Amino acid sequence: MEPGLREPLVRETSSSYQTFPRSQGTRLDQEYLQSLCNKRLYLAVFAAVLGNFSFGFALVYSSPVIPALEAHPDPALRLDKYTASWFGSVFTLGAAAGGLSAMALNDRLGRKLSIMFSALPSALGYALLAGAQGTGMLLLGRVLTGYAGGLTSASIPVYISEVSHPGVRGMLGACPQIMAVLGSLILYALGLALDWRWLAVAGEVPVLVMIILLCFMPNSPRFLLSRGKDDEALRSLCWLRGKDTDYAQEYEQIKDSVRKQSQRVSCAEIKDPFIYKPILIAVGMRFLQQLSGVTCVLVYLQPIFKKTSVILKPQYDAAIVGLVRLFSVAIAAVAMDKAGRKILLFVSAGVMLLSNLTLGFYIHFVPASQNSSIANVTLVSSAKHPPELTNYITLIPLLATMFFIMGYAMGWGPITWLLMSEILPLKARGVASGLCVVVSWLTAFTLTLLFLRVVEVFGLEVPFLFFAVICAGNILFTGCCVPETKGRSLEQIEAFFRTGRRSLMR
């Protein structure tokens, strides 16, 4: 009888051994997929990134508008080379002020309310541009839309990183850049059919939709916990992950991370590598991102094409570049959680380096009969230089610019924003993200203001060769300073900077 008694026991044990882990694994996989595919998370991200759509729209507003205002019949609205330079660059000065405001608003109002607050200056700025009666209204409209863009630049990436599931944080972290690129592309497309006043009216639409949707979205659970609103934070995380998921475990992890950190950074804590190292990396990336010349290219895209005499009309070239930029950012969004951040940064900087060198050498060595105006006339000159349709070598500036924008959009565009929100410690995240935006847009303002003047004195090739040198520096910076954050939770990333142990990132 002993063998008979043992046999059912063995079969039962074997059955339990095989089925229980499979059942538990299936349940955990289902919960993971449910939290990953919760539509409410994506709705919250979409509502937030509409602010980036408006930002991208406003950033390149000057590209089709400068040529139109150069030839405007009303002297009060007509732009000369100096006012055009300010019209193109003053947006970035407003963005720097918006980033400065975000240092206080992000931690006082929260990420969501800071994004909502940006709708006020954005709507007012577009209204001033649409009804402008003089250059003063034009410049003030650019400052206000820039201020809103700077505020959203600091708030939206932080909001997205704090509400996102770790499994899709890379993809969702690329959404702000995707929407900014989409906003620019829509501006270029509408610029083919609308005049500059109606373009400003069109800019009001995403601002209105954003403010309506955000009224129904939750605040960041991490921000709510940092303010002692535990119950509200739990409800927020439940809404973002779904009721049928194990959101309580993630809530406890976030709560434990918040509990370990004080509300604000003291002066003594700034000396801690856990605080200053990620801040220096984030600020350095934003500084190098702007020094690579992307804002100058986007703001003066149509005038650049006009002076390099490409075959197509400048406005069509700008639309093509915008489409390439959107396609490239979409590729980055998909690849970011698979290939990793660092490899994309390396590829991005390498492509930008080669593109800037190509464009700089083309302008320098092309026969003077085709590009003599570049060295002696500013980009905003109203003189027309019809392209030679039979000279296909003039496609080089278009192709080089397309590859430059493609390289930027695949790495140093979206990943810089994503890493800023990933590596900054929670206690310094609001202030440090604002600091990053201030540094970024002050650098962009300086470059865009000086760009036309440098071109007038030294020629167009000098800025692009300078940008190429910076891109080489980007490669070195990535290899020496930037950590790989693919697949890591925000808590793991903080633990890495706190302890310096790379094993925590594996």
Side-chain angles (χ1 to χ4, degrees):
M1 292 182 61
E2 223 173 77
L5 288 173
R6 279 190 194 135
E7 191 174 349
L9 182 61
V10 171
R11 281 200 297 267
E12 183 179 347
T13 305
S14 175
S15 175
S16 300
Y17 177 78
Q18 291 178 5
T19 59
F20 178 74
R22 186 182 298 122
S23 173
Q24 185 185 44
T26 301
R27 180 177 59 82
L28 292 175
D29 287 344
Q30 288 176 346
E31 288 185 359
Y32 181 82
L33 290 174
Q34 284 178 347
S35 62
L36 203 64
C37 301
N38 185 31
K39 294 179 180 179
R40 290 179 175 181
L41 168 62
Y42 301 98
L43 179 61
V45 171
F46 173 75
V49 297
L50 282 173
N52 283 94
F53 181 95
S54 181
F55 163 69
F57 192 97
L59 174 63
V60 301
Y61 178 78
S62 60
S63 181
V65 172
I66 284 178
L69 291 180
E70 285 178 333
H72 200 281
D74 187 353
L77 290 170
R78 190 180 306 133
L79 298 180
D80 57 26
K81 61 182 180 180
Y82 296 107
T83 52
S85 176
W86 277 100
F87 184 75
S89 61
V90 77
F91 175 91
T92 57
L93 191 61
L100 194 63
S101 300
M103 296 172 68
L105 294 178
N106 259 345
D107 287 331
R108 292 182 181 273
L109 297 181
R111 292 50 158 145
K112 188 187 85 165
L113 290 180
S114 295
I115 301 170
M116 295 177 71
F117 177 76
S118 71
L120 180 61
S122 183
L124 182 57
Y126 281 125
L128 286 172
L129 290 169
Q133 299 301 313
T135 55
M137 293 180 69
L138 288 172
L139 294 177
L140 182 57
R142 289 285 286 166
V143 170
L144 288 173
T145 53
Y147 177 88
L151 184 55
T152 55
S153 297
S155 305
I156 292 174
V158 176
Y159 178 77
I160 291 176
S161 72
E162 292 185 352
V163 302
S164 295
H165 191 287
V168 290
R169 196 176 64 243
M171 181 185 71
L172 295 182
C175 287
Q177 186 70 14
I178 291 176
M179 290 299 284
V181 171
L182 183 60
S184 299
L185 179 60
I186 295 299
L187 184 280
Y188 291 138
L190 292 178
L192 300 175
L194 302 178
D195 70 4
W196 58 277
R197 291 190 187 275
W198 282 104
L199 281 177
V201 173
E204 300 278 11
V205 177
V207 178
L208 180 62
V209 176
M210 179 192 73
I211 197 72
I212 293 174
L213 287 179
L214 280 177
C215 290
F216 302 98
M217 299 300 114
N219 217 321
S220 156
R222 286 175 175 82
F223 170 76
L224 293 171
L225 283 169
S226 71
R227 288 291 176 267
K229 301 178 180 179
D230 293 20
D231 293 338
E232 189 177 348
L234 184 60
R235 289 195 299 271
S236 172
L237 192 61
C238 175
W239 193 91
L240 291 165
R241 298 292 182 266
K243 293 181 179 180
D244 298 328
T245 63
D246 190 15
Y247 64 89
Q249 182 179 357
E250 183 180 357
Y251 170 79
E252 291 299 328
Q253 292 175 347
I254 297 172
K255 188 175 182 180
D256 182 62
S257 175
V258 172
R259 189 184 296 117
K260 292 177 181 177
Q261 303 184 46
S262 59
Q263 294 294 320
R264 295 188 180 182
V265 182
S266 65
C267 294
E269 286 179 312
I270 295 178
K271 299 178 182 179
D272 188 344
F274 163 63
I275 300 294
Y276 77 76
K277 279 188 177 180
I279 292 177
L280 287 178
I281 292 172
V283 170
M285 291 191 71
R286 297 306 300 272
F287 181 64
L288 291 172
Q289 179 198 52
Q290 290 298 340
L291 281 183
S292 67
V294 64
T295 302
C296 292
V297 172
L298 293 176
V299 168
Y300 300 119
L301 189 58
Q302 287 194 30
I304 288 173
F305 284 146
K306 182 179 178 181
K307 293 307 175 183
T308 48
S309 301
V310 294
I311 289 178
L312 299 176
K313 292 182 179 180
Q315 56 267 37
Y316 292 110
D317 293 325
I320 291 172
V321 170
L323 189 61
V324 169
R325 188 179 170 210
L326 178 62
F327 178 72
S328 302
V329 175
I331 292 176
V334 175
M336 211 175 292
D337 285 319
K338 296 181 179 180
R341 280 57 156 163
K342 290 190 72 169
I343 186 64
L344 289 177
L345 287 174
F346 281 126
V347 172
S348 171
V351 172
M352 289 194 294
L353 170 61
L354 294 175
S355 300
N356 278 320
L357 284 175
T358 301
L359 194 52
F361 286 137
Y362 167 83
I363 295 168
H364 183 73
F365 290 110
V366 81
S369 60
Q370 291 185 26
N371 286 291
S372 59
S373 59
I374 297 175
N376 302 308
V377 184
T378 63
L379 287 176
V380 292
S381 170
S382 60
K384 295 183 179 180
H385 302 274
E388 298 179 20
L389 297 179
T390 58
N391 193 354
Y392 288 96
I393 196 174
T394 57
L395 280 174
I396 291 178
L398 174 60
L399 294 175
T401 306
M402 286 172 60
F403 276 102
F404 172 78
I405 294 298
M406 180 186 298
Y408 172 81
M410 288 183 65
W412 277 84
I415 295 178
T416 302
W417 295 90
L418 174 62
L419 276 173
M420 179 189 77
S421 60
E422 285 184 327
I423 66 177
L424 292 176
L426 177 63
K427 64 168 66 177
R429 196 167 290 160
V431 173
S433 62
L435 176 63
C436 289
V437 173
V438 170
V439 170
S440 174
W441 290 115
L442 283 179
T443 307
F445 168 72
T446 304
L447 285 177
T448 51
L449 183 62
L450 296 178
F451 184 79
L452 297 178
R453 301 177 187 182
V454 170
V455 169
E456 182 179 12
V457 176
F458 300 105
L460 184 56
E461 69 270 23
V462 172
F464 285 104
L465 293 176
F466 170 77
F467 298 152
V469 173
I470 297 300
C471 291
N474 290 0
I475 296 175
L476 294 175
F477 185 86
T478 301
C480 298
C481 303
V482 179
E484 179 58 73
T485 59
K486 180 188 74 170
R488 316 301 182 229
S489 69
L490 297 182
E491 288 68 38
Q492 282 178 306
I493 297 169
E494 285 190 0
F496 162 71
F497 281 107
R498 188 182 297 277
T499 65
R501 292 171 58 188
R502 294 191 175 273
S503 60
L504 294 173
M505 298 285 280
R506 298 195 182 113

